[in-house]
Amino acid sequence: MTAYNVMLVLSSKVNLSEWIAFAARLLPADGQLYVRALVTVEAGKSLSEGALVVREWRDAFRLHALAHREIHDEVQVVVEHQPFQLIIQEIRDREINLLVAEWNPANSGVGGVLVDDLLALSRCDIVLVAGIQQLLGESNQVLLSLRGGPNLSIGTQVATAIAGQGSVTLFHAVDNRRTAPDLESIMRTVPKINRTVSAVAGITEGIVRESAVHDIIVMGMGLQQFRQGKSTSRTVFQQVLERSHKPIVLVRAAQQETWDFHPPHFFSKPDDSLSTRVDRWFAQNTFHSSEFDDIHRLLALKEKQGLTISVALPTLNEGATIENVIKTIKTPLMDDLPLIDEIVLIDSRSTDRTVEIAQSCGIPTYTHQEILADEVGTYSGKGEALWKSLYVTRGDIIVWVDTDITNIHPRFIYGLLGPLLKYPRLQYVKGFYTRPLEVGGKLQAYGGGRVTELVARPLLNLFYPELSGIIQPLSGEYAGRRQALEQLPFFSGYGVETGMLIDLLDRFTLDNIAQCDLETRIHHNQPLVNLSKMSFAILQVFFTRLESRYGSEFLSPANRSMKLIVQEADRFALDIAEIGDYERPPMLNIPPYQQKAK
């Protein structure tokens, strides 16, 4: 049997818990509740302007509403110039049975859509509510005003839910075009209806008069008047609202009248251009680590989904920072609360005490050059270490964090895990942060990320504009689902992050990728010559992927050696460095990994 689906659509953040509790009252035992919040961006502005409002919505739900277990899937915040257009489409796609929405009597609108248009567009039962704070008392006296017909069923359902321990008066507005309902039968079927009133004329006066001894008014709405170009019923409820000063709930049954569907003039197809898709993604898929600082909540999500989580730490001579990095992650997130199932060190033959310190902290250590060495050989580079970490870890989710961070904080972990645990559609989360640059012994804000701004982001904007909203594509902190990561090839060196993003986009969609603000990251900044090497390797990755895309050969005739300028007190010359990333195949294609996964 198909579940009964209810969708709650909200335009303001007031009384969130009350809204969800009200919608839950209308939910049958086997029903499913979907919650959607609307962010309307002014026409002509980028949808990315809605990013901070989206975050406010998520914070509001986190603080007030997420305790309600009736919600079927994750609460979604819809960003658009006319967001209700997307809601209308989802109502049809999900086969929603009942729409519950916030109604603004001042402009007769719902999320920027006029009531007239909403009633015309929605193919489900509709409940429009103004004054939610008065709907959830234990006992309410409800006036239900209907003409009969299909609205009777949804009207009595809503009135009963609002009444609680109170009672319902049925005000029957006689309609000579319809067969009069059997009021006595209705009273027997709906015990909360303890009184009926019938009226042939003076409908508005009658409702206003009766409302004096009632707390809330529930009114039926039809479409016949809209076909004729008249809003008679709309005038009635506006007059009732003005004169009764009581909250009003409008109800309309699905397919109440049969008529030719002609979408209103405003209902144009939403802009789906590449630029708009990126703007929308930026607003909806950019998170902040503070949204996920409730570790107990994350642990509950992890256990509910039956997931395991691994943290892999790539290292090369990080003896000065490795102990603090491990303890800052391990103590709160593994020892005190088992959010993380394992932490492993993937070393690249450090010559300092990095490995010894890690072992003293009680975590397994591996040398990447020794992992699968007999089967696939080995290359140098961070990307090689990350690729091989897939073989030695066991988690369904893998988090990678650089180990030179001097201000490490648990948010570097839970900020990356939170979106993956909360939103099953996501496959990969990239961290971003401010990166102060040390100049003259002082930190200058926003000075880091030079290769990002001068190489990576310009090239992404040029050739992969879908990824142009990624704030720090080269950051060393990111997390992903194993089922996605094991499908990706890995570049062995500096180009691993760039290649990973491009290949994720190729195999999945932009909506499967997210980014999270980890606030501030302080580390030892690289000298300029190292950044030049990094840029050279990243450029090669771009050209390699462009070759695949366009079928043209760029790199084979290109020079993979880089002349580095050496300017010292006793030497002024050019040094040659061979810089080139090797491309590892997806780990899923490696036979030992396949055997281990069985």
Side-chain angles (χ1 to χ4, degrees):
M1 181 179 177
T2 303
Y4 186 89
N5 297 319
V6 177
M7 178 173 287
L8 172 62
V9 178
L10 301 171
S11 300
S12 71
K13 294 180 281 293
V14 179
N15 301 315
L16 292 182
S17 294
E18 288 79 1
W19 273 105
I20 294 176
F22 173 67
R25 285 188 180 184
L26 304 176
L27 201 64
D30 63 342
Q32 296 178 340
L33 175 60
Y34 300 85
V35 180
R36 302 293 180 262
L38 306 184
V39 174
T40 303
V41 176
E42 184 180 336
K45 290 188 176 181
S46 165
L47 294 183
S48 63
E49 297 285 346
L52 293 180
V53 182
V54 171
R55 184 183 299 176
E56 292 171 1
W57 266 109
R58 290 196 300 253
D59 284 341
F61 278 113
R62 180 170 66 100
L63 294 174
H64 299 294
L66 290 182
H68 294 276
R69 297 184 179 181
E70 296 87 352
I71 301 176
H72 176 65
D73 65 352
E74 74 270 12
V75 174
Q76 294 183 20
V77 184
V78 179
V79 182
E80 190 52 76
H81 298 299
Q82 293 176 317
F84 214 92
Q85 296 185 28
L86 301 180
I87 296 296
I88 293 295
Q89 187 59 53
E90 187 177 8
I91 287 172
R92 297 174 181 178
D93 293 344
R94 288 192 181 274
E95 298 183 354
I96 298 297
N97 304 98
L98 174 63
L99 169 67
V100 181
E102 211 172 347
W103 169 43
N104 184 356
N107 59 18
S108 293
V110 179
V113 178
L114 294 178
V115 171
D116 312 43
D117 295 331
L118 174 61
L119 296 178
L121 287 167
S122 296
R123 300 175 181 177
C124 63
D125 293 344
I126 298 175
V127 177
L128 306 182
V129 185
I132 188 68
Q133 67 275 10
Q134 301 183 53
L135 300 180
L136 294 173
E138 293 184 1
S139 179
N140 289 310
Q141 302 304 312
V142 181
L143 177 63
L144 174 59
S145 172
L146 297 170
R147 293 183 180 273
N151 280 342
L152 186 60
S153 175
I154 183 65
T156 54
Q157 178 187 356
V158 172
T160 299
I162 296 172
Q165 301 301 315
S167 62
V168 178
T169 297
L170 176 58
F171 185 96
H172 175 228
V174 177
D175 188 341
N176 293 326
R177 296 171 299 175
R178 290 197 179 106
T179 303
D182 185 345
L183 299 183
E184 292 185 3
S185 175
I186 294 172
M187 292 183 69
R188 290 193 300 269
T189 306
V190 186
K192 290 192 180 297
I193 298 180
N194 65 351
R195 176 168 164 262
T196 64
V197 177
S198 295
V200 177
I203 304 299
T204 301
E205 293 293 335
I207 296 174
V208 171
R209 184 173 57 253
E210 287 289 334
S211 69
V213 292
H214 292 82
D215 302 308
I216 296 158
I217 305 168
V218 177
M219 299 181 65
M221 290 284 291
L223 283 177
Q224 187 69 29
Q225 64 273 18
F226 302 121
R227 291 178 61 190
Q228 299 170 350
K230 299 176 181 179
S231 295
T232 307
S233 186
R234 183 178 174 193
T235 302
V236 169
F237 72 65
Q238 285 183 328
Q239 289 183 12
V240 170
L241 179 69
E242 294 169 359
R243 295 174 59 186
S244 69
H245 304 291
K246 298 291 176 70
I248 294 181
V249 179
L250 304 181
V251 298
R252 175 201 170 239
Q255 298 177 341
Q256 184 174 345
E257 290 88 0
T258 301
W259 64 305
D260 294 331
F261 174 70
H262 297 290
H265 63 86
F266 85 93
F267 197 79
S268 58
K269 184 179 180 181
D271 183 2
D272 197 39
S273 64
L274 175 58
S275 178
T276 299
R277 291 202 306 272
V278 173
D279 291 346
R280 187 184 298 115
W281 173 88
F282 185 90
Q284 295 182 170
N285 279 29
T286 300
F287 300 91
H288 192 280
S289 56
S290 62
E291 298 179 50
F292 311 106
D293 58 9
D294 185 344
I295 309 302
H296 289 86
R297 171 69 177 165
L298 294 184
L299 179 60
L301 288 171
K302 170 197 163 183
E303 293 175 342
K304 181 179 179 181
Q305 298 171 58
L307 298 173
T308 53
I309 297 172
S310 299
V311 174
L313 304 174
T315 57
L316 177 61
N317 295 327
E318 303 296 353
T321 53
I322 189 60
E323 182 175 8
N324 186 46
V325 168
I326 292 173
K327 289 183 176 180
T328 301
I329 295 171
K330 185 173 183 288
T331 300
L333 303 180
M334 190 172 177
D335 298 337
D336 296 345
L337 206 67
L339 180 64
I340 296 170
D341 296 285
E342 67 172 348
I343 303 175
V344 301
L345 188 86
I346 310 294
D347 190 61
S348 297
R349 290 185 175 155
S350 294
T351 56
D352 65 1
R353 297 181 61 247
T354 296
V355 174
E356 179 185 343
I357 293 171
Q359 290 172 345
S360 71
C361 293
I363 70 168
T365 61
Y366 300 88
T367 300
H368 93 248
Q369 290 88 344
E370 298 173 1
I371 301 171
L372 293 173
D374 293 338
E375 294 85 355
V376 299
T378 191
Y379 298 116
S380 61
K382 176 186 175 182
E384 177 84 350
L386 300 184
W387 182 67
K388 288 186 173 180
S389 72
L390 291 174
Y391 182 76
V392 298
T393 54
R394 65 178 186 273
D396 301 304
I397 294 175
I398 300 170
V399 185
W400 287 303
V401 177
D402 282 347
T403 49
D404 62 343
I405 306 172
T406 59
N407 69 321
I408 190 69
H409 186 278
R411 66 174 173 267
F412 281 75
I413 302 297
Y414 65 67
L416 297 171
L417 288 174
L420 291 168
L421 293 173
K422 189 174 178 183
Y423 302 97
R425 75 180 187 279
L426 296 178
Q427 299 295 320
Y428 181 83
V429 178
K430 189 79 173 173
F432 70 93
Y433 25 67
T434 58
R435 299 178 61 177
L437 182 66
E438 186 173 343
V439 178
K442 296 182 179 181
L443 290 176
Q444 295 183 355
Y446 310 107
R450 288 163 287 176
V451 178
T452 292
E453 296 302 330
L454 297 176
V455 178
R457 296 202 73 254
L459 286 172
L460 287 175
N461 275 270
L462 275 171
F463 298 114
Y464 298 94
E466 300 96 326
L467 298 171
S468 59
I470 301 288
I471 296 174
Q472 285 174 341
L474 304 184
S475 72
E477 287 66 51
Y478 37 91
R481 300 188 192 277
R482 178 178 293 274
Q483 64 183 21
L485 298 172
E486 65 186 7
Q487 299 181 47
L488 304 178
F490 276 57
F491 286 92
S492 60
Y494 292 127
V496 62
E497 285 90 7
T498 302
M500 194 177 297
L501 278 172
I502 294 172
D503 294 333
L504 279 162
L505 181 66
D506 181 56
R507 284 160 177 78
F508 300 95
T509 69
L510 183 60
D511 195 48
N512 299 130
I513 301 171
Q515 59 186 349
C516 187
D517 187 346
L518 305 179
E519 297 185 3
T520 301
R521 182 189 195 275
I522 301 175
H523 66 122
H524 303 297
N525 298 101
Q526 296 271 13
L528 191 59
V529 65
N530 287 0
L531 299 183
S532 182
K533 294 178 183 179
M534 184 183 300
S535 300
F536 191 66
I538 290 169
L539 285 168
Q540 292 183 43
V541 170
F542 271 103
F543 286 133
T544 298
R545 287 296 175 260
L546 289 172
E547 284 182 344
S548 300
R549 172 184 280 190
Y550 297 110
S552 299
E553 193 172 71
F554 299 121
L555 284 182
S556 289
N559 180 28
R560 290 178 180 266
S561 63
M562 184 177 184
K563 286 184 169 61
L564 303 174
I565 300 171
V566 180
Q567 191 170 0
E568 300 171 347
D570 58 348
R571 186 173 179 230
F572 183 51
L574 294 175
D575 274 352
I576 297 179
E578 293 296 327
I579 302 172
D581 278 11
Y582 296 94
E583 185 174 349
R584 286 297 198 177
M587 184 59 76
L588 194 60
N589 296 347
I590 304 301
Y593 182 83
Q594 296 170 354
Q595 292 296 320
K596 189 175 181 180
K598 289 183 178 179

